[in-house]
Amino acid sequence: MSVGGGKGPSANGQASGAKQSAPGGGKRPGKAPTKPGQTGKRHGFRAGAASKPAPKPKPEPRRKTAREVALDTLVRVMEAGAYSNLQLNRALQDAGLSKADAGLATELVYGTIQHQRLLDDRLNALITKGFAKLTPWVLALLRMSAYQLLLLDRIPPHAAVNEAVVIAKRRGHSGISGMVNGVLRNMERSLDELRQPIELADPVRRIGIAHSYPDWLVRRWIDGYGEEIAERICASGNERPHASLRINPLKLSREKALELLAASGFEAEPSELAAEGVVVSGGGNLAQSDGYRDGWWTLQDESSMLVADACAPEAGMNVLDCCAAPGGKATQLAELMEDRGQVVANDIHPHKQQLIDEHAARLGLSSVLTVVGDAGKLTERFAPGSFDLVLLDAPCSGFGVIRRKPEIKWTKSEADVAAIASLQAELLDEAAKLVRPGGTLVYSTCTIEQEENEKQVLKFLSRHESYELDAEWPARVLHPLRTNGIIGDEFEGMVQLLPQHFGSDGFFIARLKRLAT
């Protein structure tokens, strides 16, 4: 997560298609035997038809278990680089699991990826031939099973081991199932020792193994935030993300939405961070709720909601969202503008234009205009200085959403951070040209990397003397940030939200003003 499996294997029930000879070896008294390729007749029927057995019906395919669905998802993430959230969603839709089993599969996928380094550290001592010779599905099975043994108290150890051996027998041969059984039985016998806290003098390796992050990333966060905060970031990234909704103020108030959600069986409470936000648990799939279908609310993280709030758009404005898909911020801007004025929602991917249009229509918004184009070439389409407000929610490393897409920890590198920071600088320079004198430019990312955030903005300001940071944010945005000590009295106009602050995504937001002269 993208932040989806398949149906179970069909049994090979085989119906015989061979012709059957008549009783007695195919000969009848006084009749010549039928030659090969010649049709014999008896009362208008083909010879032997009466004795041909009916085809056997094919048995129904065996449904996959929760652990098999989880295993298939983990292998797809390992081999194809799929986003865990998208791949798991597809797998769950195909598998038709019960709610409880779907919950188990989800827990196993996210937990195994989140704690991968710790699991590998504990498994490595038990696998005599090392990881290098293991096929991806066997490695994924061992990791998934080790996660259950080491970190899931509610699953009995013997059940985790037995299920792993059953899967190994179905997918491999006796040698593989024997190896899986031996490794996991040894782990089961050593659980007390293996569950002991990691004690290492090097804080990078200690945090990296204990919370399962690569050393290079832990080192960057220690350098940027200090050891204590870096460890909090890592621990928070392994927590389960909560669901949150953005209430559409054009249709109902947040108070009314809370009443409706409670009446529908959801546990809901107002967001501490976002004025239109509601934090929800229990009650089912929010994307299939009547309120979602009728445009009363949108699924969106609380930190993400804060971006449009910081933009503070006014009715009648001409606004540009440079990288708009899937449309959450663009539609929120339109809602805050009371659907008066225009929000141009641009994205580079043509297939996402329909997604944004569908969101706007569902919410009853007519002020959103979707366009397709490269955000680095927007001045070829729009005149310089033609927008009152420009939002650049830039492509980024995504380290603020590790809860939702834990594989990011293992697929990104320092080189990726440097490359994406270079792209962001180009996009910022282009977006700045489109803001009218006296207008506003808002830059945001869903990462906590300083090279992509504070340092990026400071470099931009050094290149553009016509811009300055703007600290005049709406009071409703600043209040929870000050109350929780995230910003102080010397607020300059940019903020870094860390995942442990509100249990929401890590987000960076900077508001800049283009000088009138």
Side-chain angles (χ1 to χ4, degrees):
M1 248 92 48
S2 167
V3 247
K7 296 183 178 178
S10 298
N12 292 322
Q14 194 173 39
S16 171
K19 293 181 180 180
Q20 302 289 325
S21 61
K27 295 183 179 181
R28 295 181 181 275
K31 297 285 186 180
T34 303
K35 296 179 180 179
Q38 186 180 45
T39 302
K41 295 184 178 180
R42 181 170 179 263
H43 302 298
F45 294 95
R46 289 172 58 89
S51 58
K52 183 178 179 180
K56 294 180 180 178
K58 290 184 177 181
E60 288 291 323
R62 183 183 63 82
R63 285 186 176 273
K64 290 186 177 181
T65 66
R67 289 177 174 82
E68 287 174 316
V69 171
L71 178 61
D72 287 344
T73 302
L74 290 168
V75 172
R76 286 286 296 168
V77 171
M78 289 172 62
E79 293 189 313
Y83 282 126
S84 56
N85 57 338
L86 300 179
Q87 187 65 34
L88 178 61
N89 287 341
R90 284 193 288 268
L92 293 177
Q93 289 172 4
D94 290 342
L97 298 176
S98 66
K99 185 176 180 179
D101 281 347
L104 174 59
T106 301
E107 174 71 47
L108 294 179
V109 168
Y110 284 111
T112 300
I113 299 174
Q114 285 169 336
H115 299 279
Q116 179 176 305
R117 185 176 180 184
L118 174 64
L119 301 175
D120 287 358
D121 180 79
R122 296 315 196 214
L123 283 167
N124 193 46
L126 303 174
I127 300 175
T128 55
K129 295 183 179 180
F131 284 2
K133 295 185 178 181
L134 295 177
T135 58
W137 76 263
V138 175
L139 177 55
L141 178 60
L142 287 171
R143 284 172 173 167
M144 183 178 75
S145 304
Y147 173 64
Q148 296 170 73
L149 290 171
L150 293 170
L151 298 166
L152 284 187
D153 293 336
R154 69 177 183 271
I155 295 181
H158 69 273
V161 175
N162 291 342
E163 288 293 328
V165 173
V166 169
I167 292 173
K169 287 179 178 178
R170 285 176 180 158
R171 296 189 67 145
H173 51 72
S174 58
I176 292 176
S177 62
M179 183 274 292
V180 168
N181 183 61
V183 169
L184 297 180
R185 294 294 181 196
N186 285 339
M187 177 172 281
E188 184 181 2
R189 285 190 287 269
S190 307
L191 282 180
D192 290 341
E193 177 186 350
L194 295 174
R195 286 172 173 167
Q196 293 299 310
I198 305 294
E199 294 184 0
L200 294 170
D202 179 3
V204 172
R205 291 196 66 239
R206 179 184 64 78
I207 294 172
I209 295 174
H211 300 289
S212 287
Y213 284 77
D215 285 347
W216 72 266
L217 192 53
V218 176
R219 186 178 297 109
R220 286 177 74 99
W221 290 348
I222 289 178
D223 290 344
Y225 297 103
E227 181 179 338
E228 182 181 351
I229 293 178
E231 184 159 16
R232 289 180 185 175
I233 291 171
C234 292
S236 181
N238 288 333
E239 294 172 357
R240 180 177 298 180
H242 61 241
S244 55
L245 300 175
R246 185 190 84 231
I247 305 306
N248 183 353
L250 303 182
K251 290 184 177 283
L252 76 169
S253 67
R254 183 164 71 169
E255 291 70 25
K256 182 63 176 177
L258 289 167
E259 293 177 10
L260 294 171
L261 286 163
S264 298
F266 293 96
E267 297 177 18
E269 59 184 19
S271 165
E272 182 185 356
L273 177 61
E276 297 86 14
V278 170
V279 178
V280 184
S281 61
N285 189 337
L286 288 162
Q288 296 178 354
S289 63
D290 291 342
Y292 179 84
R293 181 198 63 208
D294 295 337
W296 297 346
W297 50 65
T298 295
L299 275 67
Q300 188 175 357
D301 184 78
E302 297 163 90
S303 296
S304 176
M305 296 178 210
L306 213 63
V307 175
D309 279 339
C311 288
E314 298 177 4
M317 275 187 171
N318 192 28
V319 176
L320 171 65
D321 185 351
C322 298
C323 306
K329 297 176 185 69
T331 53
Q332 185 179 2
L333 289 167
E335 290 170 0
L336 294 172
M337 292 163 57
E338 300 176 356
D339 204 28
R340 293 187 285 146
Q342 185 171 77
V343 178
V344 178
N346 174 79
D347 200 82
I348 193 171
H349 301 291
H351 68 279
K352 293 186 177 179
Q353 183 177 21
Q354 182 181 354
L355 180 62
I356 302 172
D357 284 336
E358 289 173 350
H359 277 309
R362 179 180 60 80
L363 295 165
L365 302 171
S366 59
S367 60
V368 178
L369 171 66
T370 57
V371 297
V372 176
D374 185 344
K377 299 179 179 178
L378 286 171
T379 52
E380 297 178 6
R381 182 168 196 155
F382 302 107
S386 57
F387 291 94
D388 303 298
L389 165 67
V390 173
L391 167 62
L392 175 60
D393 185 47
C396 68
S397 58
F399 291 129
V401 295
I402 282 177
R403 280 197 195 104
R404 304 179 193 279
K405 298 176 181 178
E407 66 279 355
I408 290 174
K409 294 191 286 188
W410 315 118
T411 58
K412 300 287 185 181
S413 67
E414 284 191 277
D416 293 326
V417 174
I420 201 125
S422 177
L423 171 62
Q424 290 165 348
E426 295 176 11
L427 297 180
L428 258 174
D429 289 344
E430 183 77 355
K433 300 172 186 176
L434 296 167
V435 181
R436 67 166 175 81
T440 299
L441 171 64
V442 173
Y443 173 75
S444 65
T445 72
C446 60
T447 191
I448 58 177
E449 273 297 305
Q450 293 179 340
E451 185 176 347
E452 302 175 60
N453 296 341
E454 297 97 326
K455 293 179 181 179
Q456 184 72 269
V457 171
L458 294 176
K459 289 178 180 178
F460 169 82
L461 291 172
S462 71
R463 297 192 304 269
H464 296 270
E465 294 182 355
S466 60
Y467 276 89
E468 65 181 10
L469 280 167
D470 182 3
E472 297 300 315
W473 291 26
R476 67 176 189 168
V477 177
L478 296 178
H479 177 71
L481 300 178
R482 283 207 170 98
T483 300
N484 287 273
I486 297 167
I487 61 172
D489 294 334
E490 302 301 319
F491 177 64
E492 294 182 338
M494 56 181 174
V495 65
Q496 176 68 72
L497 286 167
L498 299 176
Q500 68 267 28
H501 284 157
F502 294 92
S504 57
D505 292 342
F507 248 88
F508 174 80
I509 310 168
R511 177 175 163 130
L512 304 111
K513 183 176 182 179
R514 183 172 182 179
L515 302 179
T517 56

